[in-house]
Amino acid sequence: MRSAMGVEISHNKKTGPVSATYAGQESCPPTCPFLGAGCYGESGRVGIHTAKLNKSTADSVAIAEAEAEAIDGLSGLLDLRVHVVGGCRSDAEAEIVGGAAGRFMGRRRPTDAWTYAHAWKVIKRASWGIMSVLASCHTKDEVKEAMSRGYAASITTAKMPEKAIVEDGITYVPCVEQTKGITCVECRLCFDDEKLLKEKIVIVFELHTAAKKAFAALSRAYKSWGL
């Protein structure tokens, strides 16, 4: 039973035509608030892949190795979205997957690889290598913490702002796919985390319906913790 898979051409309307990988959720950090509670990867067509991959009994390291093998099997002709579902829990796993992504980026022609990290508090940015990685944050304090750790950041919100917002020197830019229907391969902001970090630009994503319920619960928890 495979625990990760690669797709040469994903026709996801959000990303546009890209290569992509999917990994079983045993690879996800257990601290992710959306795990089993509104995760994008648990619904729709992506959810079909997720359910199959979750049947594997592989641990997170083995899943990282399987994902790296899947990346090594892709042509390298298109940009790469790393783990549409799934993640990495440790520096060792990030190095395995990031190393494969780096090899992908120079395989056939210059391409970009990008992903979002839920375990950014425990994984060093350097462990991911040269691909673009955005820390998945849920509060503005987390955004600042992620930046201090060398990560560009994204943030989730229950309601998308109408335009970019500047606060404390940080510019929060709404995802243009969600606001204007411009695909990832057309926009490419998330493909250059170095630029995002340098210019203090944070990408804002509006949650899907199921995840909004999880976000509401998360917001209540943060308030109870005094955050």
Side-chain angles (χ1 to χ4, degrees):
M1 187 69 66
R2 63 180 175 177
S3 59
M5 60 180 284
V7 176
E8 183 64 38
I9 304 177
S10 170
H11 295 286
N12 183 292
K13 71 174 185 177
K14 180 183 189 301
T15 62
V18 298
S19 294
T21 64
Y22 301 76
Q25 287 180 298
E26 182 63 27
S27 66
C28 297
T31 53
C32 177
F34 302 125
L35 185 61
C39 171
Y40 165 78
E42 295 168 356
S43 62
R45 291 184 179 181
V46 178
I48 296 173
H49 294 308
T50 303
K52 291 179 180 179
L53 296 172
N54 283 350
K55 292 180 180 180
S56 168
T57 58
D59 62 19
S60 58
V61 174
I63 293 174
E65 292 171 342
E67 187 173 13
E69 184 177 354
I71 293 171
D72 285 336
L74 298 171
S75 71
L77 290 172
L78 299 174
D79 297 310
L80 174 65
R81 169 67 160 93
V82 176
H83 40 245
V84 174
V85 62
C88 290
R89 295 185 175 190
S90 69
D91 285 296
E93 293 161 26
E95 288 172 2
I96 292 169
V97 175
R103 293 190 294 274
F104 175 96
M105 291 169 69
R107 182 166 301 141
R108 296 284 293 276
R109 67 182 186 87
T111 55
D112 290 308
W114 86 104
T115 195
Y116 305 89
H118 290 280
W120 56 268
K121 292 185 180 183
V122 296
I123 297 177
K124 299 180 181 68
R125 171 59 189 90
S127 296
W128 294 101
I130 63 173
M131 74 168 166
S132 182
V133 183
L134 277 64
S136 293
C137 301
H138 309 294
T139 68
K140 292 176 180 178
D141 284 341
E142 283 192 339
V143 164
K144 293 175 183 177
E145 182 183 353
M147 288 180 165
S148 73
R149 291 179 55 83
Y151 279 94
S154 64
I155 190 170
T156 51
T157 181
K159 184 177 181 180
M160 183 72 82
E162 295 182 359
K163 59 182 180 180
I165 297 171
V166 180
E167 185 176 307
D168 295 333
I170 299 172
T171 303
Y172 294 85
V173 176
C175 167
V176 295
E177 191 284 325
Q178 291 187 322
T179 58
K180 299 179 181 179
I182 297 172
T183 65
C184 296
V185 294
E186 295 171 305
C187 170
R188 309 188 78 81
L189 272 178
C190 291
F191 295 10
D192 191 349
D193 63 340
E194 290 185 359
K195 179 179 180 180
L196 293 176
L197 180 60
K198 181 179 179 181
E199 298 184 5
K200 295 184 177 180
I201 296 173
V202 175
I203 309 301
V204 182
F205 294 106
E206 183 175 270
L207 295 167
H208 299 276
T209 302
K212 285 182 179 179
K213 295 180 181 179
F215 182 81
L218 176 66
S219 297
R220 290 193 294 272
Y222 273 126
K223 288 179 181 179
S224 70
W225 298 333
L227 298 176

